[in-house]
Structures are given as structure tokens and as C-alpha cells.
Amino acid sequence: MSPAGNPGEGEFGLIRRHFASGYPRSRDTWLGIGDDAAVIIPPAGMTLVQSLDTQVADVHFPASAPAWLIAQRALRCAASDLAAMGASPQGFYLGLTLPHNQPEWMSGFASGLRAAAHECGLALLGGDTTRGPVCVISVMVQGWLPLDSSTNEPGVQGLFRHTANAGDDIWVSGCIGMGALALPIVLNDPACSEGLAGHYYFPQPRLALGVGLRGIASAAMDISDGLLQDAGHIARASALDLTIHTEQVPTASTDLGSSAWQTCLTGGDDYELLFCAPDSQREAIAAIARDCMVTCTRIGVCSKPAAAEPRVLAQLNGQPLDLSEQGYQHF
């Protein structure tokens, strides 16, 4: 890692103080922080899964939020991509751009990062720190998927968006809309981390559930930009219509049809899993959910597309539901 540019502590002092120790260790890491690159030894029969997530101050989090909360959110959101693939977590790299190198901020950030890393089981493998006009946090996570012994490819052992089938059930984990309803609270008081605000700063990456669904679910992804919009990614990738019975979706607002309820369906920041599976797997999914201590709810069904383009068909009590917005747009 290279320095943020503050003449105070310097590059190597910053690394030693905040990033060199206190993080989980991975048996697969032969060489981590301290050299020009990390050296990772893949376990036999495994293939590497990687994902990069970037968060920008006052776009993805309030710049004035406490540093330890910013770090918790950054790593948890990134780790959710591993859960969506059914990957076992291994480690992460941190890219940190800062307008300053304030010791108190760095200490708080490192404290939150270490706590999140231990909860997610992710070793810090290396990264880069630079000076810039705003805080930008990039986290690359990586994990393992079992190889198919017959083809030497991930095959059915991973969870992907393009492998849903007509007739599959559609499921979600947890409760949808907590993060979206928390956003106004967080914007009003960036230091608040209680109640709904806790779901914004401490999303729960469903890592154990993702691993458990390997070979059970036919397709999956995590919900980051809104349930209905993200369902569209599976619909297009799998060339299917996804019918969502919105009254069956477990939401943070139970007032069907209200603006808060619609926000739950279209708002982002849930980081729950949206997945598809054959109806023959219902009992298996219920058992996995119990083992992982998370609720999983059936909310719809996949079908062959009725039009030229695969769609998400949102229904409320059997009637089409017309929503002005489908989810968060990055551009």
C-alpha cells in the first residue's frame, strides 16, 4: 500500500499502524501485506472468484459519517457479491483515496474494517492509499468455488444470473427495504447507527446462505439497487419473465401500496439474496435457511417470456403493479 500523501506518519508507518495486523489470517495466503503483491495458493479443486466494489463520499455514504461506520459498510457491501456467487470468502484488497491522513479518522476506519473483516472471514491481502479531492473506497473481495471434477469448471457449484429455468420459484432472504428506509435517517444524522440506520451501515452479507445454496438454487444475485430492478438482471440473463407477487415480499413497511412500501420494492442497499430454485427444493431451502438462521421467502415464479424482451412483472394481489421507479441508477 502506498501513502495518502500526508507528511505526518508516512507510508510505512501508516501501513504498520492501521493495516499490517489484527485482521483475519487465511491459510491460502502465502504472502500478504508488505511486498509489491500478494501470493495466494488456491486449494485443490477450487477456482477463484473476484469482485470489485467502489464507494464515493456523498454518493454512496455521507462524507461526514464516522470512519468506523464507513469502513463497516464498504467491506460488507463488497462481501455480498461473494455471497451472491455462493463463494467461500478468502480475502480482500483495499484501495483508499483520501483528501487527508488524519490519525483519528484512520484509526476509526481501521477499527471498523478489522471488525467487518473478522465477521466476514476475509483477510486483508494488500491495496493502495492515495491522496485525492474526495474519499473513495474500493474493495476487491475474493473467494473460492468448487471445480466440477468432470469439466474442471465451476459449473453448477456456483450461483449465477443466467441459469434460472422456467417454472423455478423466486426467493428472497431476510427483509426487503430496511436500507432504503434508513437512508433519510442516515442523511439527516450520519452518525446514527441504531434502529433502521444500523441496516444501512451493517448490511448482512449472506455468505453462509450462498454457500448452502450451491447445487440447490438455479440462479442468484444480491439486491443492491432495488428488488425489482435487480430481478431484471436475472430475467435478461436467463431469458425469462420473472413474476413477483409483491404482497408476498417481506418488507420493512407492511402498509401495502403506501409510498414507504413502494420504496422497499425499488430502493437499494438491501444486500439480501434474490435467488431462483426448482419447487422440488423447497424443503431443502427451508432447512438451509434454518441452519443459517435467516428467513427465506418465496415471492414469485419464473416463466418463458411472453414478449420479445424478458421482463419483471410486478403484481399486487394478482393485478399489475405500475411503479414510476424500478430502482437506483448509477448514471
Side-chain angles (χ1 to χ4, degrees), residues 98-181:
L98 294 170
H100 57 73
N101 180 9
Q102 296 174 356
E104 184 177 354
W105 193 98
M106 290 298 300
S107 178
F109 184 88
S111 174
L113 193 69
R114 282 193 295 268
H118 279 283
E119 184 167 336
C120 295
L122 288 165
L124 178 57
L125 305 173
D128 190 33
T129 56
T130 59
R131 178 188 288 275
V134 297
C135 179
V136 179
I137 304 165
S138 292
V139 178
M140 190 179 81
V141 292
Q142 61 186 37
W144 305 117
L145 279 179
L147 288 165
D148 187 311
S149 58
S150 62
T151 64
N152 207 40
E153 294 179 358
V156 296
Q157 293 302 304
L159 303 177
F160 311 102
R161 299 180 184 186
H162 68 278
T163 45
N165 301 296
D168 282 352
D169 293 329
I170 303 169
W171 297 75
V172 290
S173 66
C175 184
I176 304 303
M178 293 286 200
L181 294 186

Side-chain angles (χ1 to χ4, degrees), residues 22-232:
Y23 295 88
R25 298 292 182 183
S26 169
R27 69 178 69 181
D28 312 313
T29 303
W30 188 81
L31 182 65
I33 288 179
D35 217 305
D36 290 302
V39 180
I40 311 298
I41 303 174
M46 292 290 182
T47 189
L48 184 66
V49 177
Q50 295 179 309
S51 176
L52 177 66
D53 187 76
T54 297
Q55 300 200 10
V56 181
D58 286 333
V59 177
H60 302 95
F61 60 87
S64 60
W68 71 277
L69 291 177
I70 294 172
Q72 283 272 1
R73 174 175 165 79
L75 184 55
R76 289 167 177 272
C77 292
S80 183
D81 284 335
L82 294 179
M85 302 294 288
S88 302
Q90 190 270 331
F92 73 101
Y93 299 86
L94 173 69
L96 191 59
T97 297
L98 294 170
H100 57 73
N101 180 9
Q102 296 174 356
E104 184 177 354
W105 193 98
M106 290 298 300
S107 178
F109 184 88
S111 174
L113 193 69
R114 282 193 295 268
H118 279 283
E119 184 167 336
C120 295
L122 288 165
L124 178 57
L125 305 173
D128 190 33
T129 56
T130 59
R131 178 188 288 275
V134 297
C135 179
V136 179
I137 304 165
S138 292
V139 178
M140 190 179 81
V141 292
Q142 61 186 37
W144 305 117
L145 279 179
L147 288 165
D148 187 311
S149 58
S150 62
T151 64
N152 207 40
E153 294 179 358
V156 296
Q157 293 302 304
L159 303 177
F160 311 102
R161 299 180 184 186
H162 68 278
T163 45
N165 301 296
D168 282 352
D169 293 329
I170 303 169
W171 297 75
V172 290
S173 66
C175 184
I176 304 303
M178 293 286 200
L181 294 186
L183 183 58
I185 300 171
V186 170
L187 293 178
N188 181 63
D189 182 5
C192 179
S193 60
E194 302 296 325
L196 274 177
H199 292 275
Y200 178 85
Y201 285 119
F202 300 94
Q204 299 297 314
R206 302 299 186 183
L207 293 161
L209 179 62
V211 170
L213 289 173
R214 292 195 307 228
I216 302 295
S218 58
M221 66 175 298
D222 69 334
I223 303 170
S224 58
D225 295 331
L227 169 62
L228 297 183
Q229 177 166 291
D230 285 336

Side-chain angles (χ1 to χ4, degrees), residues 18 82 104 142 168 225 262 264 278 284-285 287 294-295 303:
H18 300 295
L82 294 179
E104 184 177 354
Q142 61 186 37
D168 282 352
D225 295 331
Q262 293 186 32
C264 291
I285 291 169
V294 59
T295 60
S303 60

